């Protein structure tokens, strides 16, 4: 490919990006290349596969507890455009984790229930995961990965010319790794912390318990947490500071606290 074709490729990429740029719920720019129905289908397919390959918890009390917390939050969202209702599944695993997928799928690992000490803390996690879906983070991440791959192809062409060598090096290495993919991961996590805080608050849970949750997470990590600079997740300390700063923006909520207990 000659330089003229390379310039044309860059121009077409720029036009594509301009057409697909939107704003997240917090006003951050996003590039979304996929439709909601596409993402929902991917989420549903992935969830069905997980249910086939992972052990599903059958304890009625545990399931009722997780369902209560999840439903209390999802009921504040109203009707969703790409699916009828949220599905919640509890998986038997020591993982201290939970997730939500496009298409209205929520998974909670039993290991999380040992760290999230009460319904408010569990709501902080589930609210955070639902916020990823509401903010189109899966779409954004998939779109970024696709663009990174396309950028690498353009970079290989760019290296053929000293005029575009710097652009090519950026696309092939440092720029793609640190300038696009990794910071987006941290931005998405921080955004979901804030959005999730508001979701749990709107559902009637005690938002201050989100800080207690991350203190518990820090203890559970046992000092093994990776350095924030090389992680796609904010440090627990950063998360706690961000959440504490956001408390002042919460408006009074007169909604009755959900009666969810294990």
């Amino acid at each position: 490919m000659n330089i003229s074709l390379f310039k044309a490729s860059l121009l077409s990429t720029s036009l594509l990006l301009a057409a697909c740029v939107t704003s997240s719920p917090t006003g951050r720019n996003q590039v979304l290349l996929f439709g909601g129905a596409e993402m929902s289908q991917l989420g549903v397919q992935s969830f069905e596969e997980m249910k086939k390959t992972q052990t599903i918890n059958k304890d009625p009390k545990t399931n009722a507890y997780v369902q209560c917390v999840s439903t209390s939050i999802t009921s504040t969202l109203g009707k969703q455009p790409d699916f009828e209702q949220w599905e919640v599944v509890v998986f038997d695993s020591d993982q201290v984790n939970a997730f939500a997928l496009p298409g209205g799928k929520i998974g909670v690992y039993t290991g999380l229930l040992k760290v999230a000490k009460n319904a408010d803390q569990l709501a902080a996690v589930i609210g955070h995961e639902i916020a990823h879906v509401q903010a189109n983070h899966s779409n954004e991440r998939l779109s970024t990965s696709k663009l990174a791959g396309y950028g690498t192809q353009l970079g290989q062409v760019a290296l053929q010319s000293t005029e575009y060598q710097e652009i090519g090096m950026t696309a092939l290495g440092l720029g793609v790794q640190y300038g696009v993919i990794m910071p987006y991961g941290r931005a998405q996590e921080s955004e979901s912390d804030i959005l999730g805080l508001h979701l749990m608050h709107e559902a009637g849970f005690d938002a201050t318990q989100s800080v207690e949750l991350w203190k518990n997470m820090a203890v559970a990590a046992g000092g093994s947490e990776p350095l924030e600079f090389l992680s796609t997740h904010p440090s627990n300390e950063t998360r706690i500071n961000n959440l504490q700063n956001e408390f002042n923006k919460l408006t009074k909520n007169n909604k009755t606290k959900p009666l969810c207990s294990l």
Side-chain angles (χ1 to χ4, degrees), residues 43-95:
V44 170
Q45 290 174 345
S46 299
F47 199 64
E48 290 303 313
E49 186 63 28
M50 292 185 72
K51 289 193 292 184
K52 294 177 183 177
T53 58
Q54 299 192 32
T55 303
I56 296 177
N57 181 278
K58 301 294 186 181
D59 178 61
K61 190 174 182 179
T62 300
N63 278 267
Y65 172 59
V66 174
Q67 184 72 55
C68 178
V69 174
S70 301
T71 302
S72 297
I73 296 175
T74 57
S75 63
T76 68
L77 300 174
K79 183 176 175 58
Q80 300 297 294
D82 299 309
F83 58 90
E84 291 297 322
Q85 61 184 9
W86 294 83
E87 179 184 3
V88 182
V89 174
V90 180
F91 294 99
D92 268 327
S93 171
D94 290 334
Q95 290 188 58

Side-chain angles (χ1 to χ4, degrees), residues 189-207:
E189 290 294 330
S190 295
E191 187 169 57
S192 286
D193 281 345
I194 299 305
L195 296 174
L197 183 76
H198 286 270
L199 285 177
M200 68 177 295
H201 176 68
E202 290 169 10
F205 292 102
D206 179 6

Side-chain angles (χ1 to χ4, degrees), residues 70-223:
S70 301
T71 302
S72 297
I73 296 175
T74 57
S75 63
T76 68
L77 300 174
K79 183 176 175 58
Q80 300 297 294
D82 299 309
F83 58 90
E84 291 297 322
Q85 61 184 9
W86 294 83
E87 179 184 3
V88 182
V89 174
V90 180
F91 294 99
D92 268 327
S93 171
D94 290 334
Q95 290 188 58
V96 181
N97 207 357
F99 63 87
L101 299 175
K105 308 301 180 182
I106 298 172
V108 174
Y109 295 104
T110 52
L112 174 64
L113 304 182
K114 300 175 183 178
V115 177
K117 303 295 186 181
N118 53 48
D120 299 297
Q121 292 181 19
L122 180 59
V125 179
I126 293 177
H128 171 95
E129 298 304 328
I130 291 174
H132 277 305
V133 175
Q134 296 301 103
N136 293 306
H137 288 167
S138 295
N139 193 334
E140 183 180 9
R141 180 164 297 226
L142 191 61
S143 300
T144 299
S145 297
K146 184 173 182 178
L147 290 172
Y150 186 48
T152 299
Q153 293 175 6
L154 292 179
Q156 291 173 341
V157 176
L159 288 174
Q160 298 173 11
S161 166
T162 55
E163 180 182 357
Y164 294 99
Q165 187 171 6
E166 184 175 350
I167 299 174
M169 291 294 288
T170 299
L172 282 169
L174 190 61
V176 172
Q177 185 177 9
Y178 292 94
V180 179
I181 296 175
M182 294 187 72
Y184 271 140
R186 290 197 294 271
Q188 291 167 345
E189 290 294 330
S190 295
E191 187 169 57
S192 286
D193 281 345
I194 299 305
L195 296 174
L197 183 76
H198 286 270
L199 285 177
M200 68 177 295
H201 176 68
E202 290 169 10
F205 292 102
D206 179 6
T208 63
Q209 284 293 306
S210 61
V211 169
E212 298 306 313
L213 166 76
W214 288 110
K215 289 179 180 178
N216 293 347
M217 288 287 192
V219 172

Side-chain angles (χ1 to χ4, degrees), residues 21-31 135 137 140 187 191 194-195:
V21 171
T22 185
S23 293
S24 74
T26 64
R28 181 176 57 81
N29 285 342
Q30 294 176 299
V31 176
H137 288 167
E140 183 180 9
E191 187 169 57
I194 299 305
L195 296 174

